Amino acid sequence: MDFWRAYRVLVARRWLILGVVLLTTTVVGLGILSLARKYDAQTSFGPTAEAMRAAINAGNDPKNLPVLTEDAKMEEAKRIYEQVKAPDNVYNAVLYLANARLLKQGLEESLKGSSVPGKPEALYEQGARPNYASIKYKLDPPNDGLPHKIPKDLAGSGIPKSAWTDFIYLLAVVEEKDNAISEDFISPARINETYVDLINNIEVTPLNSRDIVLSVRDRVPVKAEVLASALTAAYKSAYDDRNLTTAQSAVNYFTAQQNQAARQMSAAQSALDNFRRTHKDIFLPDQVSLAIKNKDTTRQDVDSMNVSLGDLDAQIKAKQARLVSLPRMLKHPAQADSGEISSLRDKISTLNASIAEKSAVWTDRNPEMVRMRDQLKALQNRLKKVEGSLVTTTTYTENDEYLTLDREIAKLKQSRDGLSARLARLNTVMADRAKLIADLPDTYKQSITLAGQASSAAERLQEVGKKLKASEEALELTKAQGSLEVRFWAGRNPADKHPETRALEGSVKRNWTMFIAAILLSLIGSAGVILALDFLDTSVKSAVDVERMLDVPVNGVVPRLDGPNRGMLAQVTHKLPSSPQAESYRFLGTDILLSAAGDEPFKTIMVATAKPGQGGTSTICNLAITLAQAGQTVVLVDADLRRPSLHNVFNVPNDLGLTTVLSNGKLPSDVLQRTEIENLYVMPGGPKAENAWKLLRSVKMKEVIADLQRDFDFVLFDTPSAVVFADAATLATMVDGVLLVVRANEAPSGSEMQVKNLLNKTRARIVGVVLNDMPLQQVDSARYFAHYYGTSARPEIGSTAAAASAKPALPKRGSDDEI
């Protein structure tokens, strides 16, 4: 299916597509309003900087910790993103909510100081606005250290102590809204159901390495808020506990390292003290350690100078190699000049200019050109002889590049000599210091070793102490602030140190997305179904379909004629000459005229159709009218002897006709009828024959065709259906060409190919195919027709129709009428 055909199909079905789109969007809209209306509750959180560092460094050797890059931070954020929506965290959140009421009752029993004797102190008043700070104060007062006596069975609730305040507050929010909601979705009996519903309505988005957004959707706003906050609180508790354990492990590790470093320093110091007490008579001067240090420094200087000396030697060697390739003196040969040489050169130059100027006018054979060229040759020979007799002198100058390179080499050698002298002095100093150290007793060396060990142990102890202090500060910070910082919670009421945001109707953005998706899907789906049905439809829709099916060229495409003028279809070329249908038949007539005047001319043409009602009679009639209007003499023979119709089309009598000629011996001229159209004659079918096929096969029929062919330019035959009757196949053997007619938008069912195969067996010449009854919008000439005629064609059609109404009415087209 080509693009333009698909375009025309979709344009023709545009109202159907629009109806499907409207119906689909209406159904989706009603579904959203009734079923899909949900609210989004969001929380935002992220790990603290210390928690991020601890998480990334977890499991690594504290001596070799990785660098905190942005990629590493983003990986940790993605890990948090996966853990928040993990099934275990979702289940814990639902379980904690279900057990929050039991925890609340147990905590109230443990609190003392109730204003009513015998009754526990309430953590919050039901029906009043929940206050997070108040609940937190009662569970963790700054001075009193409450709660005092926590019942042992509270440990069975599964809620971590760090999350008690969060889940009791969430319970207060639900009960403040409606206690029935609390019983409905956070009751122990509905844990699994709530878990399944929640895990299908979670959306977690890591915005960056520090900000993660959790969103929960539900039809009930307060339910969405509580579940989102519960998920955040459950994960915060687990994340805080995990990082607290990690921070405590770091403190324990560095504490052990500090104890080990302290023991090592104590042992090293004790060994040094014991050594000094044992060797009281040995004095350990500072110059020993200074000599060792200076020796090392001198060694480094010597190594550096050796490298520099090697570089200088390489540069000197390279420049000397370059110097050898350069000459020290540059030679400049010169010749003594004379006045005769200058004169000869001037004459040669002048003569060359004259020759160049005259070359544009004279040829090389011109006597004057020959004379000037001979003179030029004589002057050149004289100049060469004079120049050869002169004495050549040579002068010499110093090469600047050689001198510059020589000076650079001298400077490099001077630098090398200075460096060598310094190196010799350093080697002497280093040898002196090595001798000083070698001359020291072994006890000196041992004392220096012990002192170094003691110093290293002290430095190690100091370093570990700093790391221990940092890890203890990180532990205290984690205990005080937690490891997960919540930017805002999902909720309805503002509270101190517990910022919250209301649940918003999440259907705004999501519903627009659903509406747009519904429109696009219905649009694409309906268009796809229509194009698929059109692709599966085997009916003939275009000239390309006909040519592909029959492998025969299409001579003309006739658009459909609807409305009150349809009865004029058989004479539309005459009755409605300005109509697009008439113009289509003119194209057909022009094609026939051009083909008839070609290499294989023809004069007798019959029309053939596969089935009744495909417009064969209308086609042959309008072709005859077109050829007659073109100045050709045309006779139209009604060879449909079973049900003749041409006498009704042209309003002529049918008393005499083709059957009369074939059976009674009448001459063709005796039965021909003149029509109101100039140059057009009609031979009616005549009285009904008993055996029409026998008459058409007779020798007389061939004689009739020969007589008509002799007297007229074109002889056209109307025949019955070629599939129903054998008359058309019989007549096809006697005419020059056959014109097939196919009606558009009818399933072919193989009958057209059957007709073609039948005609091929008779060796008939198929001059082409006419595609009849095409929709106007599918015929280019009809679609562009209004651009030329506009509304001017309407009065002509109307007036012609009014004039035609004075004549006898044409028969109406029946279901099997070929007209």
Side-chain angles (χ1 to χ4, degrees), residues 47 52 72-82 206 208-212:
M52 180 70 74
K73 294 179 181 179
M74 198 63 201
E75 288 298 323
E76 174 63 13
K78 291 180 180 179
R79 189 176 68 86
I80 294 175
Y81 151 75
E82 294 293 341
N208 48 53
S209 61
R210 291 292 310 279
D211 295 289
I212 298 171

Side-chain angles (χ1 to χ4, degrees), residues 14 57 151 204 341 373 393 417 446 456 611 627 677 794:
R14 60 186 181 275
N57 293 337
V204 186
I341 292 177
R373 291 188 183 278
T393 60
D417 293 340
Q446 186 175 359
S456 299
K611 296 177 289 187
L627 295 175
I677 302 169
R794 296 184 180 275

Side-chain angles (χ1 to χ4, degrees), residues 613-799:
Q614 290 198 322
T617 300
S618 300
T619 301
I620 201 67
C621 288
N622 282 286
L623 177 59
I625 295 171
T626 301
L627 295 175
Q629 291 176 346
Q632 305 292 316
T633 56
V634 182
V635 60
L636 185 56
V637 181
D638 195 344
D640 187 357
L641 302 182
R642 304 174 189 276
R643 194 178 62 179
S645 59
L646 294 185
H647 61 283
N648 292 324
V649 173
F650 293 97
N651 197 20
V652 296
N654 193 36
D655 298 335
L656 300 176
L658 181 59
T659 57
T660 308
V661 175
L662 296 177
S663 60
N664 296 335
K666 289 282 187 180
L667 295 175
S669 58
D670 296 336
V671 298
L672 288 177
Q673 302 288 335
R674 182 184 296 274
T675 66
E676 62 181 8
I677 302 169
E678 186 180 359
N679 298 328
L680 178 60
Y681 296 84
V682 175
M683 179 182 287
K688 185 175 182 181
E690 293 296 331
N691 192 341
W693 178 74
K694 182 179 180 181
L695 292 178
L696 292 175
R697 285 182 58 85
S698 65
V699 177
K700 183 65 176 178
M701 182 64 187
K702 296 180 180 179
E703 294 175 354
V704 170
I705 294 175
D707 291 342
L708 295 175
Q709 189 174 3
R710 183 179 58 254
D711 297 334
F712 293 90
D713 294 329
F714 285 96
V715 182
L716 307 181
F717 295 89
D718 183 25
T719 63
S721 169
V723 174
V724 179
F725 303 105
D727 300 2
T730 300
L731 189 59
T733 62
M734 305 177 188
V735 297
D736 297 334
V738 179
L739 188 65
L740 293 178
V741 177
V742 177
R743 184 178 293 278
N745 297 319
E746 286 190 0
S749 70
S751 57
E752 281 78 4
M753 284 299 302
Q754 183 179 351
V755 172
K756 181 190 174 185
N757 294 333
L758 181 62
L759 294 175
N760 288 336
K761 290 180 180 179
T762 64
R763 297 184 180 180
R765 177 186 176 186
I766 301 176
V767 298
V769 180
V770 175
L771 185 57
N772 191 32
D773 203 32
M774 278 285 288
L776 283 172
Q777 66 272 17
Q778 296 184 22
V779 182
D780 291 341
S781 59
R783 285 192 290 116
Y784 301 132
F785 184 80
H787 289 285
Y788 291 93
Y789 290 95
T791 58
S792 63
R794 296 184 180 275
E796 182 181 349
I797 293 175
S799 61

